[in-house]
Amino acid sequence: MVFTTTVMAQTAPLLTLKEAVEIALQNNYNIKLSQNYTTIVKNNVTLGNAGFLPSVNGNLSSNNSVQTTEVLRADGARTAFTNARNSNLSYGVSLNWTIFNGFAMFANLNQLKELNKLGDINARDTVLRTVSNVMATYYNLINQNQILISLQGAMRISRTQLRYANDKFSVGTVSKLDVLNAEVNLNTDTANYVSQLQQFKNTKIQLNQLLVRDLQTDFSVADTIIVDDKIVFSDILNSANTQNPAILSAQINKRLAEINLKQVRSTRYPQVGVSTGYNFSNSHSPSGFAQYQNAHGLNYGLTATINIFDGFNQNRLEKNAKIQIDNSEINYNKTKQTVVAQINTLYNNYTSGLDLTRLGESNVGVARHNLDISLEKYRLGNITPLEVRQAEENFLDAQVKFFAAQYQSKIAEITLKQISNNINIQ
C-alpha cells in the first residue's frame, strides 16, 4: 500500500521579516513590561526621592469630652460641674527639612540616575533579544520550508521510480520486489515530509506567540536566506566592548556599588535638620482654671544628631560595601570575558557556516547531476533500484546540509549583531 499526502504550498499571505519585527515591537509582552519598568525608574529620579526637598504636612486634632467634676478648694469650698463639655481643637502646618545628612542625598540622586540608565539598558536589551528571537524563528521557518520543498522533490522522485518499476514489472523485466521496494521508499519519503510539516507548523505557532497574536494565524515566509558575509571580527569585538548590554550593565553595577559605599559612609557625619510650623489652638474647659483659651503662632527649631557608637556596625557595613565594589569589578571582568568568548564561538560558527554553504552549494549541484544520471540509467535498466535510492538520499542529504549551513551562518550573524548592539533588518 502506498500512503499519500497532500503537498502543501505556501498559499497563505506573505509575512515579511520587517513586518514580523514591527508587530513584535508593538505587541510583545516582554517589551511592554520592560517599558513599564523603565518608566517607573525614570519617574523615581527626582530631588524629593533623593532627599533634597523638605516635607510639609498639615495637621488637625480635635478632642472632646463630657465630664462630671467635683472640686474641693483649699478654703473648703466645693464646686461641682455636671456633664461639663470640654473641647480642644488644634490645627496648623509643619515643615521638616534635612539640610545635611553626610552627602547621602547627593549619593541617592546619583544612585537613582544610574538605576535609570540601567533601566534603559535593560529595556534596549529586551528589544534586542525580542528582535533577535523573531529573526531566528523567522529564518528557522525559511530553513524548514526549504527542507519541505526538498522532501516534496524526494517524493516526486520516488513516485517516478515507482512508475518506472511498475512499467518494468508490467513487461516482465523486473520482479515484484522492485515495485514493493519503490513503494516503501515513497512511503518513507512521505512520512519524512509529514514529520517535517508538523515541525514547520509548530514553529509557526512559536512565531505567532512572539508576535502576540492568534496562534493559529496562517502566513507564509520568504523562500531564501541571505547571509551578510562582510562581518569583521574586530569590528564586532570593539562594538561589544562599548555597546553590549551585559557589559554596560556590569559597569553601572560597579558604579552603584561605589555609590553604596558613599551612602554607608554618610552616617559618620552629623545629620542636621530644621523644622518650623504655624499652629492654631482653641480649648474650652468649664471646669478648668481657664474656661476658654485661643492661641496661634510660629514655632521653629534645629536638630542635629551624630553617630558616636553603634556597636561597630558602621565599620562592618563599610567593609562589606568595599567587598561589594570588589565583587562588582570581578563580575565586570567575568561578564566581559563571557561576551568575548561568545563572540569567538559565534564567529567560528559564522565563518565555518559560510565555508560549508559554499561547499554545500557545489555539492548539491553534483548530487543533482548524479541523481539525474541514476534515474535515467534505472529507466534504461542499467543500475539497480538500490543505487537509485542511494543517489536520491545523497541529493536530499546534500540539500539539507546546505540549508543547515546557511541557517547556521545566519543565526550566528544575528547573534553577533545582537551582542554588539548592531542588529538590523534586511
Side-chain angles (χ1 to χ4, degrees):
M1 178 184 294
V2 178
F3 294 96
T4 61
T5 184
T6 301
V7 177
M8 297 182 61
Q10 288 201 89
T11 57
L14 175 66
L15 175 69
T16 66
L17 178 59
K18 183 178 180 181
E19 291 171 343
V21 170
E22 288 175 348
I23 294 172
L25 291 177
Q26 184 177 10
N27 296 341
N28 187 265
Y29 291 131
N30 289 332
I31 292 179
K32 289 185 176 181
L33 290 172
S34 179
Q35 289 172 341
N36 288 341
Y37 174 77
T38 302
T39 302
I40 290 173
V41 295
K42 190 182 298 293
N43 291 340
N44 287 338
V45 185
T46 64
L47 293 177
N49 195 26
F52 278 90
L53 303 181
S55 61
V56 180
N57 298 301
N59 54 78
L60 171 68
S61 175
S62 177
N63 296 292
N64 300 275
S65 66
V66 179
Q67 294 180 335
T68 298
T69 307
E70 184 177 348
V71 179
L72 176 62
R73 301 185 186 280
D75 59 2
R78 291 179 179 273
T79 305
F81 299 89
T82 303
N83 295 329
R85 295 181 179 276
N86 303 293
S87 64
N88 183 31
L89 174 66
S90 63
Y91 56 93
V93 178
S94 62
L95 178 146
N96 294 281
W97 193 357
T98 300
I99 59 175
F100 181 76
N101 61 354
F103 307 104
M105 62 183 70
F106 296 95
N108 293 341
L109 184 59
N110 289 334
Q111 181 187 53
L112 294 173
K113 290 179 179 179
E114 293 298 328
L115 288 174
N116 184 35
K117 293 178 183 177
L118 185 61
D120 289 338
I121 291 172
N122 289 335
R124 185 174 63 188
D125 186 38
T126 300
V127 171
L128 285 173
R129 290 181 182 276
T130 301
V131 172
S132 177
N133 288 338
V134 170
M135 293 178 68
T137 306
Y138 188 90
Y139 283 112
N140 187 17
L141 282 172
I142 295 178
N143 178 50
Q144 292 185 33
N145 186 58
Q146 290 174 327
I147 295 175
L148 280 174
I149 294 173
S150 297
L151 291 173
Q152 291 172 357
M155 288 190 294
R156 286 194 297 269
I157 294 171
S158 295
R159 288 194 185 94
T160 299
Q161 187 178 356
L162 177 60
R163 187 176 71 253
Y164 288 166
N166 279 319
D167 292 343
K168 291 181 179 182
F169 177 72
S170 64
V171 297
T173 57
V174 298
S175 67
K176 184 65 175 178
L177 181 61
D178 283 0
V179 176
L180 295 176
N181 283 332
E183 290 180 354
V184 169
N185 292 338
L186 177 57
N187 289 338
T188 300
D189 292 338
T190 303
N192 291 337
Y193 175 82
V194 171
S195 297
Q196 181 60 42
L197 182 61
Q198 177 188 3
Q199 184 178 349
F200 180 72
K201 290 181 177 179
N202 289 340
T203 307
K204 272 190 174 182
I205 293 174
Q206 293 175 9
L207 183 57
N208 281 329
Q209 183 181 10
L210 285 172
L211 303 187
V212 191
R213 62 181 188 174
D214 187 349
L215 300 181
Q216 297 303 320
T217 302
D218 196 15
F219 59 92
S220 60
V221 296
D223 54 3
T224 56
I225 295 177
I226 300 176
V227 182
D228 180 5
D229 59 354
K230 306 298 183 182
I231 295 179
V232 180
F233 177 79
S234 59
D235 292 342
I236 293 293
L237 196 60
N238 291 335
S239 181
N241 285 329
T242 57
Q243 298 294 326
N244 178 261
I247 293 177
L248 294 177
S249 296
Q251 291 174 340
I252 291 178
N253 285 327
K254 181 182 176 182
R255 291 197 291 269
L256 287 172
E258 294 169 347
I259 291 172
N260 179 60
L261 177 59
K262 293 180 180 179
Q263 290 172 319
V264 172
R265 282 177 172 170
S266 68
T267 57
R268 288 189 176 275
Y269 295 89
Q271 312 292 306
V272 182
V274 295
S275 61
T276 186
Y278 201 92
N279 293 307
F280 298 84
S281 65
N282 184 293
S283 62
H284 180 72
S285 178
S287 61
F289 177 77
Q291 293 187 7
Y292 177 80
Q293 182 176 342
N294 188 9
H296 61 86
L298 177 71
N299 62 77
Y300 52 90
L302 175 71
T303 60
T305 61
I306 188 170
N307 177 21
I308 298 176
F309 179 74
D310 64 350
F312 305 108
N313 282 322
Q314 180 67 33
N315 292 334
R316 174 181 61 81
L317 293 174
E318 289 184 13
K319 288 180 180 178
N320 289 343
K322 291 178 181 178
I323 293 174
Q324 289 297 332
I325 293 176
D326 291 338
N327 286 344
S328 65
E329 177 69 26
I330 293 171
N331 184 65
Y332 169 73
N333 292 329
K334 176 185 175 183
T335 301
K336 192 172 182 179
Q337 184 187 47
T338 300
V339 171
V340 172
Q342 289 178 329
I343 291 174
N344 276 272
T345 301
L346 288 168
Y347 195 78
N348 286 337
N349 293 341
Y350 168 74
T351 54
S352 63
L354 290 177
D355 292 338
L356 290 172
T357 299
R358 287 187 284 267
L359 179 62
E361 187 175 16
S362 174
N363 197 35
V364 167
V366 173
R368 170 80 259 185
H369 186 58
N370 180 58
L371 177 60
D372 291 339
I373 294 175
S374 299
L375 283 172
E376 181 62 21
K377 285 188 174 181
Y378 178 70
R379 187 181 68 83
L380 298 175
N382 295 332
I383 60 174
T384 65
L386 183 61
E387 291 175 299
V388 176
R389 183 62 177 176
Q390 185 64 51
E392 180 185 355
E393 290 178 348
N394 288 341
F395 176 57
L396 180 61
D397 183 64
Q399 286 182 304
V400 171
K401 287 182 177 179
F402 170 64
F403 300 147
Q406 273 190 325
Y407 181 60
Q408 173 185 320
S409 296
K410 193 62 182 180
I411 293 302
E413 173 205 327
I414 293 171
T415 312
L416 282 170
K417 291 181 178 180
Q418 174 199 339
I419 289 176
S420 60
N421 191 26
N422 191 34
I423 201 166
N424 51 53
I425 310 300
Q426 293 182 349

